[in-house]
Structure formats: C-alpha cells, structure tokens
Amino acid sequence: MDTLFYEKCDLTAKAESFDEFYSLFEKELFSDIDIIYDYDNKYNSLRARDINYISSLFFNGCIENAKSLTQGGCDTAIASPMFIGITNLIDSLIVIKQFVFDEEMITMSELIKVLQADWVGYGDLRTLILRKGCFFGNDDDLSNGVARRLYASFYSYIKDKKNLFGYHWLIGDLLGYNEHHKWFGEKTRATPDGRHNGDPLKFGIGQSEGKDREGLAALLNSVARLDENTVSCGSTVTNFYLDKQLITKNNYFEKTVDMLETYFKNGGVHFQLTYVSKEDLLSAQKNPDDYRNLRVRVTGFSDYFVKLKRSIQDDIIERTVKNG
C-alpha cells in the first residue's frame, strides 16, 4: 500500500476500477512476501544454531530424528511469519473500494494527494471516512468481501510454500514482548484507513478505535468468515473487550459462552479478551503502585499491566471500548 501511494502513485492514479487497482496491489503484495519468505528462511537457518534440548523433549520426532526443535526435528510444526498491520490493510482496501470506486466521493488522484499530505488540510474528509467507512469487523458484505479477497490472495501465494525445514507456511499476526507494530508503524506513511504518518500499525485480526460499530457478535462473525482456506491458523490473535456484566452476571455469562462457542464453530481459531474498564487502565498508568496486581492479556501471553511498556499499555487501552 505504501509503495502504490508514494513510490508508484502515477501508476496507481490510472486505475479505473477496484479490480484494476487490486491487481496492482496484489503484485506489490507478492513482491513484499517474497522478501519476507527469504528472510524467514534466513532467520530459521540462524536459529538452527541453537540446540534446544529441553523443549525438544516435548515434541514428537525430535529424539527419533536426533534433531533439535530449532532444526526441524519435530514431526508436526508450522511456519508462521507475522503479518503485522493486516487490519490496517483490509480497512485501507475497503476505503479505496467504497469511497473511490463504489461511491465516487473522491478520485484516486485526490486520495494520493491527501495521503501524501498526511491528511493535513483534509480533516473533514478523514472524519467522513472514519464515520462512514464500512470497516472490517461489522459483518457487512463489503468489508467481509474485501477481507476474504485479501486472504484468498495470501492463500494463492503460500498454498505450496514450505520453509527450509519442510513445514507448510501459515499466516500469523501477533507480536511478542517487543513493539514491532510501533517500529514498523514509524516507517509507514499515511494509509487510506485514516492512519497518520508514523502511527502504530494494528496487530492481530481484530478491530479497535470504535470502528467495530455493530458489536462483538458482528466482529466475531467477520473474523470467523474471513479465511475459507484456513491459512490464518499460524500464531494469530483476536483481541476484544467485554463489559464486566457479561462475565460477572450468570445469565449474561451463559450467553457469552454460547456466542464464543458459535464463533469457533463458524471458523474462529482464537480470541483473547479483556474486561477491565478503560478507566481502571488509565488510573493504573497514573498510579501504578495501586495496581501492581492488575494482569491483562497482551498477545499470546498475560502480564502485569504496570510492567508493560507505555506504547503496549496504550494499545490495550485502545482495545478497551465497549462493543455492545
């Protein structure tokens, strides 16, 4: 997306339909994933120098093959490179389809100009997009269709791909203890979803900033219907917030359990929830000594909130929006 709106904007401006634009986008996407694929193998070849004796005892095949887990010794494993910013990408594609081609509220040349100005001078347009955009997570035909198209593109690229140990590639989207979403965001210019130059990218395959307007059930439906080829089964995360009453009141709790069970039956593979109030989290930032026992889900792990880096704390607070 960055390449098309900044490096190859003359080519992008000539796209006369969303399909034509998407063809340009998919070409750049595959070019980027070629680089990721190469670096993933380079990373694993270096990681193979570490013989992990303890972990290898718990994975089938390592002893029989006389190889460490880090050297491809186990019988069953996945290769899961992390695609951070997927929701930004989906929402950007949606904005292009909706506002440029479907509703014709702005031309592609104008959108290029807006992004290169980092939205400065175009606050009204940005507000309109944020208010009226059919963003991912609202279980509507437009956003679901664009999201599924993107994952079909992922599948077409990786369906026959294996890493250097012979493990099939799958899509991951989480981050660990480091702020990759912030670091990559600092290097990524303004995007059509309303994001400014240098703003953090989103991670996981959820939604935030109030863009999931239709409630939690709609968000879970969108995620569950996202990937008909099931390539998003790598190290993936879906973050969301629950109002406390959905956990603490018995009649609501049973309904919440039924909703999450339906989510998995429909194709969902993961969720991690937070039901601490936004007010409590903000208070914990101001008065950390009073909240040293407050634990939250981060991404694939839990930790004490006050021990997290400020940017990760801010991300968790951004998630903490009532979804109805």
Side-chain angles (χ1 to χ4, degrees), residues 29-30 33 36-37 78-87 89-90 147 150-159 161 167-174 204-205 226-227 229-237 269-270:
L29 176 70
F30 291 167
I33 304 179
I36 295 171
Y37 185 72
I78 60 171
S80 179
M82 301 304 155
F83 289 0
I84 297 170
I86 288 182
T87 304
L89 190 54
I90 293 172
L150 176 63
Y151 271 78
S153 294
F154 287 151
Y155 173 71
S156 70
Y157 181 92
I158 72 170
K159 62 182 179 180
K161 288 286 191 300
Y167 299 137
H168 285 284
W169 251 34
L170 294 172
I171 300 296
D173 51 47
L174 60 78
I205 189 60
L226 174 69
D227 178 22
N229 297 299
T230 63
V231 294
S232 59
C233 295
S235 302
T236 185
V237 59
V269 296
H270 178 274

Side-chain angles (χ1 to χ4, degrees), residues 135-140 143-144 147-148 205 215-227 263:
F135 294 112
F136 177 72
N138 293 291
D139 198 24
D140 61 88
S143 63
N144 286 349
R148 286 170 67 89
I205 189 60
L216 180 56
L219 173 63
L220 295 180
N221 283 340
S222 293
V223 175
R225 296 169 178 171
L226 174 69
D227 178 22
Y263 163 69

